């Protein structure tokens, strides 16, 4: 008989431990739920290059603190590469149109811009930053 009482005491001790753990888990879940009530989640779906990252960055800029210094510095090379590509596309397009169009006088590139365009056409986007910094040194 004494052994059956000790078994029930052991069982109640393990139940008490489990109940305490369960109460602790429930308390943590309640705290996390209260902490996350102010958080709004948004799922952006779309094909690649459809602007999901751009929307995310705009939301961050408008509704949060904006970009920190390291994020801003990381965009410098992207901006430089975009400017390079745009200049190259404009130069190559004007050059092609001046050869194809009958009224090619409106597509004439000034000598200064012609020289810059030719240099940019000779290099590719990956080497642009290396060329840029060596040309300015």
């Amino acid at each position: 008989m004494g052994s059956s009482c000790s078994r029930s005491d052991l069982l109640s001790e393990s139940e008490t431990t489990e109940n305490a753990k369960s109460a602790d888990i429930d308390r943590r879940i309640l705290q996390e739920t209260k902490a996350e009530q102010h958080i709004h989640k948004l799922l952006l779906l779309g094909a690649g290059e459809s602007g999901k990252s751009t929307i995310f960055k705009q939301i961050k800029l408008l509704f949060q603190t904006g970009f920190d210094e390291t994020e801003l510095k990381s965009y410098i090379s992207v901006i430089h590469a975009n400017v390079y590509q745009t200049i190259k596309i404009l130069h190559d397009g004007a050059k092609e149109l001046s050869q194809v169009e009958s009224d090619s006088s409106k597509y004439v590139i000034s000598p200064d811009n012609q020289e810059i365009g030719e240099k940019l056409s000779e290099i590719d986007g990956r080497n642009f930053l290396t060329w840029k910094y060596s040309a300015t040194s």
Side-chain angles (χ1 to χ4, degrees):
M1 212 189 217
S3 65
S4 69
C5 288
S6 65
R7 284 185 184 175
S8 66
D9 287 343
L10 287 176
L11 189 59
S12 65
E13 285 178 24
S14 65
E15 284 180 350
T16 305
T17 306
E18 288 178 12
N19 288 342
K21 287 180 182 179
S22 177
D24 186 46
I25 291 170
D26 290 340
R27 183 181 46 79
R28 288 183 190 173
I29 290 172
L30 186 62
Q31 286 175 344
E32 289 175 9
T33 303
K34 286 182 181 178
E36 290 186 2
Q37 281 181 342
H38 72 283
I39 297 174
H40 299 284
K41 295 183 180 182
L42 176 67
L43 176 63
L44 298 174
L45 300 174
E49 302 295 321
S50 64
K52 298 180 298 291
S53 296
T54 303
I55 290 175
F56 177 75
K57 290 173 190 172
Q58 289 295 319
I59 289 171
K60 184 177 179 181
L61 231 171
L62 293 172
F63 298 108
Q64 290 183 341
T65 59
F67 301 115
D68 61 7
E69 195 67 29
T70 55
E71 286 177 309
L72 290 173
K73 286 183 180 180
S74 72
Y75 290 122
I76 290 173
S77 62
V78 174
I79 292 169
H80 287 168
N82 287 343
V83 169
Y84 155 74
Q85 287 175 337
T86 303
I87 291 170
K88 185 174 187 237
I89 289 168
L90 289 171
H91 174 263
D92 293 345
K95 195 166 128 182
E96 184 178 326
L97 283 173
S98 68
Q99 293 171 355
V100 174
E101 290 288 322
S102 58
D103 184 20
S104 63
S105 61
K106 60 184 174 181
Y107 301 110
V108 173
I109 303 171
S110 71
D112 292 339
N113 290 337
Q114 181 70 27
E115 182 183 340
I116 292 169
E118 292 299 327
K119 285 180 182 177
L120 290 177
S121 292
E122 291 172 4
I123 58 175
D124 63 357
R126 291 179 299 277
N127 296 328
F128 172 68
L129 294 177
T130 307
W131 172 79
K132 177 185 170 283
Y133 291 117
S134 65
T136 57
S137 301

